[in-house]
Amino acid sequence: MKYFEVNYLSKGQKSKIVIKSTNKHDAIAIAKIKVPGIILNVKETSAPLEDKFSELKTQFLGAITQRKIKMPSLIAAIRQLSVMTNAGISIHDSVKEVSNATVDKTLKEIFDSVNDDLNSGLSLTQAMMAYRSELGDVTIAMVELGESTGNMAESLDKLGDILDEIESNRQKFKKALRYPTTVVIAIAIAFTILMVYVVPKFKDIFSKLKAELPLPTKILLFMENIINNYGFYLLAVIIGTIISIKYLLNNNEDFKKGFDKYILKVYLIGDIIFYATMSRFTLVFTELIRAGIPIVDALDTALLTLENTHLKKRLSAVKVSVQRGISLTESFRDTQLFEGMLIQMIQAGEQSGTLDKMLEKVTNYFKSRFNEIIDNIASYIEPILLGFIAAMVLLMALGIFMPMWDMAKAVKN
């Protein structure tokens, strides 16, 4: 959000107010409603000092505890909005009714605020823009589509389908990770118990030997020393690191760019993010094309749904290329994000006038690849888990038994 200083003339006197908005165009629209006089000029300005402190505090606290809307509640609210607007009920009355019906406290607060903003003359998109982080870019993009096409009911219905699919994918991912997460937690607990209660007993025995200990034993004793003497500090560092990373991702653009580029190279996680992101992008883009939105405008709106900045940058080049007169097929090919088969499908759709149908097939391809990874994630992770378990067991066994073997040899000699 940006700050704009609005200078206006009221009752023969010059006055000014500061308006918070995403761009100058929206700031002028809000100023026309709120300013009690003639607007002289609108210019971007820095945030007031109290707002800077308040925003910094909000951002830092938000990195620790973020307001979250339960996705099923949001989907139910969107479905209700779609049904009511399709029945001819005004968007103002629909929002008010949804606010009264929802049981999610955060969602209720948001819809109450949106209702107030609608009363003051703002559009639904402008009213929801202040809650972009809670509602998501997909929601804002599809609501904006509904307002631009004049078919809000259809856009909201399609938004419900998109959010439903996103939630379904999220639940699949969580279910797939349940087994490996349980195994990792069990290993961590078992290892910690061994380090805290078992290894210290052997440590006393080894210290009495006064002999050179083998490398596995030294590693084991070093880890035991760290956990027993600095365990709480280590835990605090881990928690602090997680909070810091989360804060930087939300507030440091350069850090987020580097992180988003790196995460795509991580085994398995990178593929999951890539196929989920591309599936969402092509899904929204397909629906916009099907609704008759120009390609450039459809790309612009679909790009709003992307969270990964690296993929967003590469797909943004498509919009620039199309504006220069390059075909959509060549523009997508230049990104190197689409396989040759997909490029051929897009080209066939572009030449035959069935672009939306071919894009739907591309969307289904990305969706199927994502589902394939999610359905088989346990088999992908299992070798890593087995290798990790084997390494920890081997370290424990060698670290404890090697000095005892040396001691047995010494006794025989």
Side-chain angles (χ1 to χ4, degrees):
M1 300 294 283
K2 298 177 182 178
Y3 291 83
F4 295 89
E5 182 182 292
V6 180
N7 294 288
Y8 64 94
L9 190 64
S10 178
K11 296 179 181 180
Q13 291 185 341
K14 285 186 177 181
S15 301
K16 64 180 180 181
I17 62 170
V18 176
I19 290 176
K20 195 176 179 181
S21 180
T22 53
N23 54 59
K24 189 175 180 178
H25 181 268
D26 287 347
I28 293 172
I30 296 170
K32 286 179 180 178
I33 298 167
K34 291 188 174 182
V35 169
I38 301 170
I39 298 172
L40 301 175
N41 59 65
V42 178
K43 59 183 180 180
E44 190 173 343
T45 184
S46 58
L49 190 61
E50 60 270 19
D51 280 14
K52 286 183 179 179
F53 281 116
S54 176
E55 189 173 350
L56 186 64
K57 180 183 176 182
T58 303
Q59 288 174 347
F60 185 76
L61 291 175
I64 303 172
T65 54
Q66 258 186 341
R67 286 200 312 170
K68 286 188 177 180
I69 297 173
K70 293 177 181 177
M71 187 60 78
S73 298
L74 179 59
I75 293 171
I78 296 297
R79 296 284 191 199
Q80 188 177 354
L81 273 177
S82 174
V83 171
M84 294 180 74
T85 51
N86 191 44
I89 302 173
S90 69
I91 194 66
H92 173 269
D93 291 336
S94 299
V95 168
K96 188 176 181 180
E97 185 61 34
V98 169
S99 176
N100 293 332
T102 185
V103 293
D104 189 296
K105 291 182 179 179
T106 304
L107 192 60
K108 184 176 180 62
E109 289 175 12
I110 290 173
F111 273 101
D112 282 340
S113 177
V114 168
N115 182 50
D116 292 338
D117 288 339
L118 288 174
N119 282 333
S120 67
L122 297 183
S123 67
L124 184 60
T125 305
Q126 290 171 332
M128 285 185 166
M129 194 67 75
Y131 303 99
R132 191 175 205 144
S133 60
E134 288 90 352
L135 297 174
D137 288 321
V138 177
T139 301
I140 302 298
M142 293 304 290
V143 168
E144 189 176 14
L145 170 66
E147 289 187 325
S148 62
T149 60
N151 196 340
M152 182 62 76
E154 188 178 339
S155 290
L156 290 173
D157 184 53
K158 182 52 65 176
L159 172 60
D161 293 339
I162 293 171
L163 293 178
D164 212 3
E165 187 172 333
I166 292 171
E167 176 62 11
S168 175
N169 289 340
R170 184 182 291 125
Q171 292 302 324
K172 282 182 182 178
F173 185 60
K174 286 172 67 175
K175 186 178 179 181
L177 284 181
R178 196 171 297 156
Y179 164 70
T181 302
T182 304
V183 172
V184 169
I185 291 173
I187 293 171
I189 293 172
F191 190 75
T192 303
I193 292 172
L194 287 171
M195 287 296 174
V196 173
Y197 296 104
V198 179
V199 175
K201 297 184 183 300
F202 286 97
K203 184 180 180 181
D204 295 335
I205 298 172
F206 297 154
S207 62
K208 293 176 182 178
L209 291 176
K210 294 181 181 180
E212 182 68 22
L213 296 173
L215 181 61
T217 306
K218 289 181 179 179
I219 295 173
L220 203 61
L221 293 178
F222 173 76
M223 294 172 70
E224 181 272 336
N225 181 57
I226 293 292
I227 291 174
N228 282 312
N229 296 324
Y230 306 100
F232 288 108
Y233 297 107
L234 185 63
L235 185 62
V237 169
I238 293 171
I239 294 172
T241 302
I242 293 171
I243 292 173
S244 299
I245 290 173
K246 199 171 181 182
Y247 176 80
L248 289 171
L249 284 173
N250 291 331
N251 302 284
N252 190 305
E253 194 173 335
D254 292 334
F255 180 84
K256 180 167 174 56
K257 285 179 180 178
F259 182 87
D260 285 347
K261 186 176 181 179
Y262 169 77
I263 199 70
L264 290 172
K265 299 177 182 178
V266 176
Y267 171 74
L268 203 61
I269 295 175
D271 286 341
I272 292 172
I273 292 173
F274 175 77
Y275 288 115
T277 302
M278 294 302 293
S279 175
R280 184 186 305 179
F281 171 78
T282 52
L283 175 63
V284 175
F285 183 56
T286 302
E287 293 305 323
L288 294 173
I289 293 295
R290 187 169 287 158
I293 304 298
I295 288 177
V296 173
D297 294 336
L299 285 168
D300 209 20
T301 304
L303 286 168
L304 293 175
T305 66
L306 303 185
E307 296 176 1
N308 187 282
T309 53
H310 182 67
L311 292 176
K312 189 171 187 176
K313 181 181 177 182
R314 293 176 71 173
L315 288 168
S316 295
V318 176
K319 177 188 170 185
V320 177
S321 298
V322 171
Q323 287 175 324
R324 290 176 179 171
I326 300 172
S327 68
L328 185 64
T329 303
E330 291 301 320
S331 301
F332 276 136
R333 180 183 280 119
D334 291 340
T335 64
Q336 297 181 344
L337 296 174
F338 295 81
E339 297 176 21
M341 174 191 67
L342 301 180
I343 294 296
Q344 289 176 0
M345 290 167 65
I346 295 170
Q347 186 175 29
E350 198 171 16
Q351 291 174 349
S352 63
T354 57
L355 183 59
D356 58 333
K357 292 182 180 178
M358 287 302 177
L359 284 172
E360 186 176 6
K361 293 182 184 298
V362 173
T363 302
N364 291 335
Y365 170 78
F366 283 125
K367 182 182 175 181
S368 66
R369 289 298 303 271
F370 174 80
N371 288 335
E372 181 188 353
I373 295 173
I374 293 298
D375 292 340
N376 298 290
I377 196 169
S379 60
Y380 291 132
I381 296 177
E382 213 165 49
I384 300 174
L385 288 177
L386 290 174
F388 179 72
I389 294 171
M392 298 311 298
V393 171
L394 188 63
L395 177 64
M396 290 291 295
L398 293 177
I400 292 174
F401 291 114
M402 281 183 73
M404 296 179 70
W405 290 335
D406 292 339
M407 187 167 60
K409 288 178 182 178
V411 170
K412 286 182 179 180
N413 292 334

